[in-house]
Amino acid sequence: MSAATEFAPAVYIPPQARTHRPAEQLATVTALYQPSEVSIAAPLRLTRRGVVALAGVVAVLAAALVLLAWLSAPGSAAAGSAAGRAVPATITVQPGDTLWGIATSLAPQRDPRAEVAELQQLNSLGSGS
């Protein structure tokens, strides 16, 4: 049975059109299925304590998500940034060595362009162009 046949539409009838004729029946009335009070679920209500608990759970999950994102970021201390990796104090440059080659040997996991820029800044080198 469809919802259209279970629920009769509510229609406003103006007082002028309301004529009470109990003897004359204009249409056949069919009684529809009425669900019992037990089978109808109560609406979900959240108490103040429930709202606070739900907000706490959401805040903890959000903090865990932010921590996970921070730990998995390529530049974080946990992932091996400049503070966390072992870098030799001095490097002897041999004939034929380039900043690009030194940068890729020092930090193979990083972008060589960023490492070259850092080497240029630390050693007060020009751009070389």
Side-chain angles (χ1 to χ4, degrees):
M1 187 177 274
S2 72
T5 59
E6 289 185 20
F7 301 105
V11 178
Y12 174 73
I13 301 173
Q16 303 90 329
R18 295 184 207 159
T19 57
H20 184 62
R21 297 185 220 169
E24 182 182 335
Q25 195 172 30
L26 300 176
T28 314
V29 177
T30 305
L32 299 175
Y33 170 74
Q34 185 73 12
S36 67
E37 296 273 338
V38 178
S39 68
I40 299 175
L44 179 65
R45 292 190 309 166
L46 211 54
T47 62
R48 186 177 305 227
R49 186 186 319 162
V51 169
V52 170
L54 186 61
V57 168
V58 168
V60 167
L61 287 175
L65 186 64
V66 167
L67 179 66
L68 180 67
W70 181 76
L71 289 176
S72 66
S76 68
S81 65
R85 63 184 168 165
V87 178
T90 59
I91 296 176
T92 306
V93 179
Q94 303 296 325
D97 283 349
T98 62
L99 280 176
W100 191 272
I102 294 170
T104 55
S105 66
L106 282 178
Q109 73 280 2
R110 282 187 65 193
D111 182 16
R113 292 172 292 194
E115 194 68 26
V116 166
E118 189 176 334
L119 286 172
Q120 285 175 337
Q121 180 201 14
L122 289 174
N123 293 295
S124 302
L125 299 175
S127 64
S129 51

